[in-house]
Amino acid sequence: MNKEQKKDFETKCVHAGMGEYEFGSVVPPIYQTSTFKFKSAQHGAALFAGEEKGYIYTRMLNPTVEALENCIAELEGGYKGLGCASGMAAVHTVFGSLTQAGDHVVCSTAVYGPTTTLLNSIMKKYGVETTFVDTSNTELVRSAIKPNTKVVYVETPGNPTLAISDLKEISKIAHANNAIMVVDNTFMSPALQSPIEFGADIVLHSLTKFLNGHADVVGGIIVVKDEETYKHFRKTLNQLGGVIDPFNSFLVHRGIKTLSIRMQKHCENAIVVAEYLEKHPLIKKVFYPGLKSHPQYELAKKQQKGSGGMITFELEGGFEAGQVLMNSVKLCQLAVSLGGVESLIQHPASMTHFSMGREARMAAEISDGLVRLSVGIENVNDIVKDLEQALEKVNELQSKEVEHSL
Ligand SMILES: *Cc1c(COP(=O)(O)O)cnc(C)c1O
């Protein structure tokens, strides 16, 4: 670890990626420009030839975007970041950079729904084959590896089941087979998990979630560990074109200043909510890495600095009960996405993971009765009270049904 990396994380959140700006501006200005003037024909030629450093065109690099990229690279302990238009643009850029026809990918079954769809549609069409396995079982990863496996792609905690995969062990398996270990770290953010420390080669995020934290930006980022990879990825991103814009970069960079305290509050609230739900008679099962009942509770403690703000639970009464609950909450808002200051609730089978198809969902253990809750930073008693009154509605419905059948 170098000196920079040792800086306390809270301090890094406030200062990472910051530089010296015109007029003594304390924060990076928003360079809302598509292109940059050259001082002369020679200067322009030198920039294109890479003989001089500078900005040419915003799709290639923009100072406001670069400030954000440097910030997140520092938080993840990587070399450089690449800002993308969305988390999915980041996922696509990763596979576009690393794979070609004939290559094989091993991917977690419990990943963000559109990631599964991307691998099963566009990447498949390009000749890249994927094996999906439950990466929380390390042995399944080992047996899925083929001679042509190029990428091992892991999301931990998984979406939406919150299964934890052993980053250190899986990195070893990937590297023993010359494959590249990619981790989607969206659910944890760099505040709670540092995949590079456990051997990951590439880390990506949907900035839309915890990193921005305010539900007002769509964005993504890729963090790489060395210059060669960075240059290669930058070329791919420039060709695919899915870059983040300066204004959104500014907003995300602003959001990151409070990342550390927001994540602390998400964790504090989520454990209270998870424990409340676990005791509730109408709830069959709660998935939260901070609960002792979580199958990888010990691994989560070892690998994560906190349990995060995401909870998944299964109601007695399945899908119908879930719909009553979602229609009855008042403080928690019925919406997809996660990681913002506000609590959000949604139903994976009919919403975020609908595009996977039922068969793939069942294989990934995403049952029809599963509800996903992104616990915000509101007062936790208000969140619990809201769930309590909504669960009371579910209870009323079920008592009526019992009466009816008598
Ligand atoms: C939301 C999300 C993505 C995709 O990000 P977008 O910004 O919506 O494109 C990828 N991975 C995970 C884990 C996510 O939650």
Side-chain angles (χ1 to χ4, degrees), residues 310-379:
M310 300 303 298
I311 300 174
T312 311
F313 57 94
E314 178 129 30
L315 276 165
E316 296 286 355
F319 183 35
E320 218 185 304
Q323 285 198 324
V324 174
L325 179 87
M326 284 182 285
N327 286 333
S328 305
V329 285
K330 291 179 180 140
L331 177 67
C332 299
Q333 300 176 76
L334 177 54
V336 298
S337 198
L338 57 105
V341 290
E342 58 287 286
S343 294
L344 299 179
I345 195 163
Q346 67 107 3
H347 177 237
S350 67
M351 296 172 185
T352 48
H353 291 70
F354 176 75
S355 75
M356 279 171 78
R358 193 160 196 279
E359 203 178 317
R361 267 200 313 278
M362 291 303 126
E365 292 180 59
I366 304 166
S367 67
D368 289 339
L370 218 58
V371 175
R372 192 184 77 184
L373 178 65
S374 174
V375 180
I377 64 166
E378 299 98 338
N379 182 287

Side-chain angles (χ1 to χ4, degrees), residues 298-314:
E298 291 300 327
L299 174 60
K301 263 208 304 201
K302 212 167 64 180
Q303 184 169 285
Q304 301 172 185
K305 293 164 207 150
S307 302
M310 300 303 298
I311 300 174
T312 311
F313 57 94
E314 178 129 30

Side-chain angles (χ1 to χ4, degrees), residues 86-88 112 155 159 184 186-187 206 208-209 218-219 338:
S86 66
M88 283 315 297
Y112 185 66
E155 204 175 298
N159 188 349
D184 181 338
T186 301
F187 269 34
S206 167
T208 318
K209 316 296 168 53
V218 170
L338 57 105

